[in-house]
Amino acid sequence: MSQLFTYLNDARGRHLEDLLAFLRIPSISAQEVHRPDIERAADFLCDELRSLGLEVEKITGEGNPLVYAQTALDPARPTILIYGHYDVQPVDPEHLWNSPPFEPVVRDGVIYARGASDDKGQLYAHLKAVEAFVRTGTPLPVNVKFLIEGEEEKGGHSVYDYTEKNPEKLACDAVLVSDTSLYDENTPAITFSLRGMCYTEILVDGPAQDLHSGSFGGTVRNPGNAIAAIVAGLHDARGRVTVPGFYDDVVELDAAGRADLNRLPYGEAELVRDTGAPSSSGEAGYSILERMWVRPTCDVNGLWSGYTGEGGKTIIPAKAGAKVSMRLVPNQDPEKIARAFTDHVNALAPAGVKVEVRVLHNANPVLVPRDSAMMQAGLKALETGFGKPATFIGEGGSIPITGTFQSCLKVPVVMLGYGLPNDNIHSPNEKFHLDNYYNGIRTTVAFFGEAAKLAK
Ligand code: BES
Ligand code: MN
Ligand code: MN
């Protein structure tokens, strides 16, 4: 181990330069103009994995390419499947960035760039861990497979289809994912739960075109008023979601689980500090961490109607719409929720407009049992890599494929987070701390070592 860590210390400058090159590729999956950049990002990974001596496949189909790679497979050794995503979120609002999102800069030991933390920097740490073994001539103590996708951020299908069709090829003893965060800068963490997702769009159609609001106001249903009524009807006064049956399958934490979770020091002050919101809010009867990690939600992600430009314009808008997503927890079923939501929105819709609900994508919630040997190996690896005691945390976000890994591959999904909760992922000035990058690489190296100790 010490020879590997010496190699990593000496290679820091180059490991940074290589990551910056990856971050310069604007691989935004949501925007079609970036399709060539998606291709470049996949090729960048293929080239590097090939140069490390892995057998590499760029898998092309209808969606964005998947990158699959594997080391030589020794049946006597455990196998680790590493998952990550090379696509990134759009950059808007771009004027709020202090430096251009695809011209990474390092200030005070922090890299600023879109994708730095989510997920290029975290994913790339795994490649550099493999590099350390290869370049020092140290035999890898485990077999390593990589499966890397390019449509995580837009809810694409390619990686599901591939996983469902290729469970034997992807067979492994654990899946390793770094696409989450430490608990805070002093506390490395394994994420053992993720929320799922049901993402929808509501479209409201009224008059054939915008109308003068003086001539026609008060005579036809206003789509703007209608979408507001629908959205207002999604919660009750206690902050609970009103979709019938919404909470039926929710697993409630028992008293011990609640106590465990609420031991972490996160309250009103911390939330206000991290979000800049004036105060907390949410479902009555649950702590902030419970609302973040183990309670389901329903939130507007976008809302539009009528004129929103400068000055006034007196119209009844022809159309209105909203993007509404629900974060789901074990054992809610996204498809069942989608049906209940659609029925509920139709019931809330006032007469005089046409309302359509479209379900854009779903993801299952995930709960990883904490007691497996691989999860314990993950804790030890974090402690070695970061030099500090590690803990288990929940996470409110979603990594859609992880549920499918659990059900198809039937192994623990070990989520070792190398980001920080305030890395501004999906926001302006996304960042990734160099210490976390370097400690992350060390952690992956250590995880291979810990995993190798476990009997096959
Ligand atoms: N890496 C995130 C998930 C995440 C979010 C982990 C926050 C830790 C903290 C992932 O890339 C992501 O953004 N997932 C999307 C999935 C959605 C598009 C289906 C999400 O959670 O919104
Ligand atoms: Mn991610
Ligand atoms: Mn993301």
Side-chain angles (χ1 to χ4, degrees):
M1 201 66 88
S2 76
Q3 190 202 351
L4 291 161
F5 283 174
T6 304
Y7 171 87
L8 289 178
N9 271 333
D10 296 343
R12 284 182 168 203
R14 192 176 44 76
H15 284 176
L16 171 60
E17 286 311 314
D18 289 355
L19 172 57
L20 297 186
F22 189 28
L23 292 173
R24 285 190 192 99
I25 307 172
S27 46
I28 302 172
S29 54
Q31 298 168 346
E32 202 46 45
V33 288
H34 287 288
R35 183 62 220 230
D37 303 313
I38 285 284
E39 217 61 45
R40 278 168 60 213
D43 290 339
F44 180 99
L45 292 170
C46 288
D47 290 347
E48 179 147 352
L49 288 163
R50 218 171 269 127
S51 81
L52 295 175
L54 278 75
E55 196 184 305
V56 179
E57 273 176 74
K58 181 177 170 190
I59 299 151
T60 52
E62 262 173 42
N64 295 341
L66 294 168
V67 173
Y68 177 81
Q70 62 180 39
T71 61
L73 303 180
D74 176 347
R77 294 185 177 143
T79 300
I80 305 299
L81 172 66
I82 294 174
Y83 163 81
H85 62 95
Y86 64 77
D87 65 321
V88 302
Q89 284 274 319
V91 299
D92 64 288
E94 198 166 358
H95 68 277
L96 292 181
W97 285 76
N98 297 325
S99 54
F102 296 110
E103 293 171 28
V105 291
V106 181
R107 281 193 301 270
D108 300 330
V110 181
I111 310 173
Y112 290 87
R114 171 57 86 230
S117 178
D118 185 13
D119 175 41
K120 283 175 170 171
Q122 298 200 50
L123 163 65
Y124 204 55
H126 300 314
L127 273 74
K128 292 309 186 193
V130 172
E131 182 200 281
F133 287 91
V134 173
R135 298 282 179 245
T136 57
T138 315
L140 266 162
V142 291
N143 304 316
V144 179
K145 299 175 177 178
F146 283 90
L147 181 64
I148 308 170
E149 69 156 314
E151 31 188 66
E152 195 271 349
E153 299 290 10
K154 69 162 189 187
H157 268 272
S158 303
V159 75
Y160 285 93
D161 299 346
Y162 192 78
T163 303
E164 275 160 10
K165 284 192 195 117
N166 295 283
E168 273 126 56
K169 181 166 172 181
L170 300 178
C172 58
D173 298 281
V175 181
L176 171 59
V177 182
S178 293
D179 192 19
T180 52
S181 18
L182 288 79
Y183 173 66
D184 64 24
E185 58 229 311
N186 295 312
T187 320
I190 298 190
T191 295
F192 74 98
S193 73
L194 293 168
R195 288 195 287 195
M197 152 87 66
C198 173
Y199 198 107
T200 75
E201 195 169 55
I202 305 172
L203 301 170
V204 180
D205 261 303
Q209 60 188 57
D210 292 355
L211 304 172
H212 190 287
S213 66
S215 309
F216 293 100
T219 64
V220 294
R221 181 74 65 184
N222 179 324
N225 297 7
I227 194 78
I230 293 169
V231 167
L234 294 173
H235 294 89
D236 68 15
R238 290 175 53 78
R240 288 183 54 101
V241 178
T242 51
V243 174
F246 190 75
Y247 295 95
D248 284 2
D249 300 327
V250 170
V251 176
E252 294 277 344
L253 277 187
D254 57 16
R258 281 186 96 168
D260 231 11
L261 193 155
N262 291 318
R263 231 190 320 274
L264 293 166
Y266 198 88
E268 185 76 17
E270 287 74 15
L271 184 76
V272 167
R273 174 199 67 199
D274 288 351
T275 62
S279 69
S280 71
S281 156
E283 191 183 355
Y286 295 92
S287 71
I288 290 174
L289 284 183
E290 288 172 320
R291 292 181 201 160
M292 255 184 202
W293 293 347
V294 298
R295 297 300 297 168
T297 65
C298 177
D299 270 300
V300 168
N301 298 134
L303 188 61
W304 64 94
S305 187
Y307 180 74
T308 58
E310 200 185 344
K313 181 166 185 278
T314 46
I315 53 160
I316 307 286
K319 290 178 190 297
K323 295 193 189 274
V324 176
S325 69
M326 286 158 280
R327 293 284 170 177
L328 308 178
V329 302
N331 287 322
Q332 287 176 298
D333 171 3
E335 288 177 17
K336 193 167 152 191
I337 293 293
R339 286 191 296 272
F341 178 81
T342 304
D343 291 346
H344 186 53
V345 168
N346 284 323
L348 288 169
V353 285
K354 274 188 281 181
V355 174
E356 184 192 350
V357 179
R358 292 185 185 157
V359 178
L360 301 188
H361 49 82
N362 287 335
N364 285 312
V366 168
L367 191 67
V368 186
R370 285 175 272 185
D371 49 9
S372 71
M374 281 292 181
M375 290 289 266
Q376 298 302 319
L379 280 184
K380 281 194 204 139
L382 281 168
E383 296 184 354
T384 306
F386 283 80
K388 290 176 178 143
T391 188
F392 283 111
I393 57 172
E395 169 53 55
S398 312
I399 306 175
I401 188 61
T402 47
T404 306
F405 285 148
Q406 276 188 315
S407 58
C408 280
L409 307 179
K410 304 190 167 52
V411 295
V413 178
V414 182
M415 292 183 268
L416 306 180
Y418 302 157
L420 281 177
N422 67 354
D423 271 347
N424 300 326
I425 67 173
H426 297 205
S427 293
N429 305 308
E430 179 172 349
K431 65 181 174 68
F432 190 42
H433 291 243
L434 282 176
D435 281 349
N436 291 340
Y437 178 44
Y438 299 134
N439 288 337
I441 302 172
R442 290 160 48 93
T443 300
T444 306
V445 166
F447 183 68
F448 292 161
E450 293 296 337
K453 292 182 199 160
L454 306 179
K456 268 274 337 183

